[in-house]
Amino acid sequence: MERDIPTYSLLLLIVFVMIPFTIAYIYQLGLKKDIIWSTIRGTLQLFLIGLILTYLFDLPPLVGIPIMLSVMILVATFHARKKGKELPYIFITILVGLIGVEIIVLSMWLGFGMISFTPEEVIPMSGMVIGNSMVAMGLALERLKSEFEQNRGKLLAALSLGATPKHAAHMSIKKTLNASLIPNIDQLKTIGLVQLPGMMTGLILGGVAPIIAIKYQLVISISIFSSVSLSAIFISMVMYRFFFNKQMQLLNLQDIKKNG
Amino acid sequence: MNEVIFQFNQVNRLVLKDITFTLREEDRLIIFGSSGAGKSTLLHLFNRMDDPDYGEVLFHNKRIEQYDIPQLRRSVGLVLQQPHLFPDTVLDNLKFGPSMFDDWEEGRAERLMNYVNLPIDYINKSVDELSGGEKQRVSLARTLANKPDVLLLDEPTSALDDRNIEAIEEDLIKLIEHNRLTVVMITHSMDQAKRIGTKGLYIEEGQVIEYGDLNQLLENPNTDQLKQFLHKS
Ligand SMILES: Nc1ncnc2c1ncn2[C@@H]1O[C@H](COP(=O)(O)OP(=O)(O)OP(=O)(O)O)[C@@H](O)[C@H]1O
Ligand SMILES: [Mg+2]
């Protein structure tokens, strides 16, 4: 069964956009431009993606899938990089991390026959994994920087007691990982209870039987959980060392780029 | 006996200009001068928490860069101005250094707590439960746990009230003598300097103004600058 939303009814969405817009207007929150702009931009982006996807889905999988994955990973890398501008090799590290994560999940999906190598399955599933990994890397980077900022004194104390950078940074890395993974763990715990996960919702709306939708959801939830954890661990483990120089001295955030 | 431990030759770093002096085994050197003079910067060169831009630092007559950094920091212990304890128990803090070098035995905690005059049953307390003075004592004990030969102190009592200062000073003098430690200490208090130090290094704007026997410096300053500094403090 093919479902579709009549185009005219999409126009009704404008009513929904008007609600926050009106509130912003009444309380003078100064968000007016932002709301209008994000709505227009979001709508155009989605339609554009829809058009591109239609075209790419028609290409042979071995051509279309790599193109789409590359674009997704590049966009995600550019985005996550902003959270670690001060750090050297940040672009290449995130890029390598995302490619690695994608290769791992894709091999698992295909190797165990969970999905087939078609754009319809690979692209949305990969999109979710890459998107979540991107967010996780950004969170971990922000957290890592603030941990190092807040714990300067303790890090200096550890180094002056003879600790290597790795040993000294252990506590900060641990806290970074905890903080970046907790939202994810919570989500996994309440899955299906608080909110029906996005993918399941989509499949059920698309006419797939709930039990099959659940199987897909299980695959994607666990894939996201593992890849988010992997991403946060990878980025923290690679990046912490740039906060120190070769002489095992702690650097200021603004001196890191020069040193790296 | 009294051999040369540290030798600074024309050392430059940030504000520091051509710093030259010698530190001998039995010295207790007091570094003093106005705020921003470069005292902490100088202190951090002794255990390579920082490195000179020019000039050389010799440790036991060898360039300091030739030593393994963790080992150097272990034998040249630094106590920071603030305690900066790790958020664990007192015992975890004391063991932090030694456990990295596989050098911890049961009796050591008791000996350390004794040195810094804290009750032994404090070792299982979490550091959050300690007062400011107690934290500074644990910080001192944590550095001593590494059995350093040289002790670097950056205004170790500046965050404490008078009563605590006197008590820690006494313990400090005792443990310095007992362990025959070479000491380099920054302080703003000339009274404290007199009670603990033997040698003095007076710096302003990164330059050594006077250097020598501490009593000599304090009783008979050679420069107007030091005279004024002592007058003010
Ligand atoms: N990382 C740095 N980069 C640039 N300048 C610095 C840096 N650290 C310190 N300085 C500057 O070097 C000078 C000496 O600083 P230092 O901390 O050694 O002074 P100090 O004598 O210990 O002062 P205080 O008595 O206030 O502790 C100061 O002017 C300080 O602003
Ligand atoms: Mg200082």
Side-chain angles (χ1 to χ4, degrees):
Chain A
M1 184 184 80
E2 284 265 346
R3 286 204 46 176
D4 196 1
I5 301 179
T7 311
Y8 67 86
S9 72
L10 278 179
L11 290 174
L12 286 177
L13 282 178
I14 290 173
V15 175
F16 279 101
V17 178
M18 286 310 286
I19 296 173
F21 181 76
T22 315
I23 294 174
Y25 182 78
I26 293 173
Y27 290 98
Q28 312 225 311
L29 298 178
L31 300 167
K32 287 168 281 181
K33 265 196 214 127
D34 269 357
I35 294 178
I36 296 180
W37 173 233
S38 348
T39 314
I40 296 175
R41 190 181 146 161
T43 313
L44 288 180
Q45 268 175 10
L46 280 176
F47 272 111
L48 201 65
I49 299 280
L51 283 177
I52 297 175
L53 283 183
T54 320
Y55 169 73
L56 287 173
F57 278 18
D58 288 340
L59 291 176
L62 270 174
V63 181
I65 291 177
I67 292 179
M68 283 183 275
L69 288 182
S70 310
V71 171
M72 282 182 336
I73 288 176
L74 270 176
V75 172
T77 305
F78 272 109
H79 195 78
R81 180 186 67 151
K82 291 186 209 145
K83 311 281 178 169
K85 285 191 299 285
E86 305 88 341
L87 302 170
Y89 309 114
I90 186 70
F91 187 84
I92 188 75
T93 308
I94 296 175
L95 187 66
V96 167
L98 289 178
I99 293 175
V101 162
E102 175 62 21
I103 290 178
I104 292 172
V105 288
L106 200 56
S107 331
M108 181 184 76
W109 291 338
L110 298 174
F112 293 122
M114 293 167 174
I115 66 171
S116 52
F117 195 66
T118 58
E120 288 85 349
E121 299 194 14
V122 171
I123 295 309
M125 301 268 286
S126 300
M128 283 187 262
V129 162
I130 293 169
N132 281 284
S133 301
M134 168 191 85
V135 172
M137 286 191 188
L139 269 180
L141 283 169
E142 279 189 327
R143 190 71 194 204
L144 195 65
K145 284 190 293 185
S146 81
E147 284 295 331
F148 268 83
E149 200 56 47
Q150 278 170 28
N151 293 317
R152 242 192 121 66
K154 293 191 189 82
L155 289 160
L156 287 174
L159 289 175
S160 68
L161 289 166
T164 58
K166 186 175 179 177
H167 193 117
H170 181 82
M171 192 130 43
S172 300
I173 294 178
K174 209 167 79 180
K175 282 208 221 147
T176 299
L177 292 182
N178 265 320
S180 344
L181 297 184
I182 281 173
N184 227 262
I185 294 171
D186 282 348
Q187 220 167 28
L188 203 61
K189 271 191 271 186
T190 58
I191 201 164
L193 298 176
V194 177
Q195 53 171 349
L196 274 191
M199 182 175 199
M200 233 172 104
T201 312
L203 287 174
I204 292 174
L205 282 175
V208 172
I211 195 72
I212 295 176
I214 282 175
K215 284 186 191 163
Y216 272 97
Q217 186 60 50
L218 205 60
V219 171
I220 194 67
S221 287
I222 294 191
S223 305
I224 288 177
F225 179 71
S226 325
S227 42
V228 159
S229 313
L230 264 178
S231 303
I233 292 170
F234 174 77
I235 203 83
S236 315
M237 297 304 262
V238 174
M239 282 300 150
Y240 85 85
R241 66 192 75 229
F242 294 119
F243 289 82
F244 304 88
N245 63 14
K246 285 205 180 62
Q247 293 75 43
M248 304 192 187
Q249 295 158 352
L250 188 61
L251 297 170
N252 291 316
L253 200 53
Q254 60 268 27
D255 296 335
I256 289 181
K257 203 103 189 193
K258 285 184 263 174
N259 205 273
Chain B
M1 206 47 226
N2 212 4
E3 62 170 302
V4 171
I5 304 279
F6 271 101
Q7 171 121 33
F8 279 59
N9 290 329
Q10 309 259 309
V11 167
N12 289 260
R13 170 69 183 155
L14 296 173
V15 289
L16 299 180
K17 283 190 284 289
D18 295 333
I19 302 280
T20 300
F21 67 89
T22 321
L23 184 75
R24 291 176 182 275
E25 195 174 3
E26 285 175 5
D27 288 348
R28 297 182 207 162
L29 178 69
I30 307 292
I31 300 176
F32 58 104
S34 309
S35 189
K39 304 182 293 294
S40 299
T41 308
L42 177 57
L43 197 68
H44 289 169
L45 298 175
F46 283 87
N47 70 342
R48 296 200 71 201
M49 292 302 281
D50 197 4
D51 285 323
D53 299 320
Y54 309 101
E56 60 172 10
V57 178
L58 302 181
F59 179 51
H60 289 292
N61 299 316
K62 245 172 43 178
R63 286 190 69 110
I64 197 169
E65 297 86 358
Q66 293 175 1
Y67 292 87
D68 175 63
I69 291 175
Q71 289 295 348
L72 172 77
R73 290 179 183 162
R74 189 180 170 203
S75 62
V76 183
L78 170 66
V79 180
L80 298 163
Q81 187 166 347
Q82 303 288 327
H84 294 305
L85 299 181
F86 308 125
D88 289 306
T89 64
V90 171
L91 183 63
D92 291 325
N93 274 272
L94 298 185
K95 283 169 90 166
F96 183 88
S99 62
M100 284 182 291
F101 304 98
D102 257 330
D103 176 36
W104 179 261
E105 75 283 330
E106 275 315 305
R108 198 179 302 181
E110 191 158 0
R111 199 143 24 89
L112 290 165
M113 295 300 270
N114 237 323
Y115 279 145
V116 296
N117 218 345
L118 285 173
I120 178 71
D121 50 321
Y122 269 40
I123 56 167
N124 291 318
K125 274 199 183 203
S126 151
V127 296
D128 309 324
E129 299 170 41
L130 304 180
S131 72
E134 289 164 347
K135 281 186 182 146
Q136 195 55 284
R137 286 166 187 276
V138 172
S139 160
L140 182 58
R142 180 177 66 177
T143 301
L144 291 172
N146 270 341
K147 295 187 179 162
D149 305 317
V150 182
L151 191 59
L152 311 173
L153 303 156
D154 193 344
E155 303 190 50
T157 58
S158 67
L160 305 178
D161 56 44
D162 291 346
R163 208 168 41 97
N164 267 314
I165 293 180
E166 236 171 79
I168 288 201
E169 252 180 41
E170 272 173 35
D171 298 331
L172 199 55
I173 292 170
K174 252 187 273 170
L175 71 90
I176 290 170
E177 278 168 3
H178 188 267
N179 294 289
R180 298 173 172 279
L181 294 172
T182 309
V183 175
V184 183
M185 174 162 122
I186 297 174
T187 182
H188 272 120
S189 153
M190 288 303 114
D191 290 331
Q192 182 171 66
K194 268 183 244 173
R195 287 192 290 267
I196 295 178
T198 61
K199 287 272 186 79
L201 184 78
Y202 173 53
I203 63 173
E204 287 299 351
E205 292 173 9
Q207 281 177 304
V208 178
I209 308 295
E210 292 201 34
Y211 164 60
D213 181 74
L214 182 69
N215 281 327
Q216 193 74 28
L217 290 193
L218 298 184
E219 305 302 324
N220 295 309
N222 278 321
T223 58
D224 289 342
Q225 226 172 336
L226 179 52
K227 272 179 207 156
Q228 274 170 21
F229 178 84
L230 292 174
H231 191 69
K232 267 185 288 177
S233 56

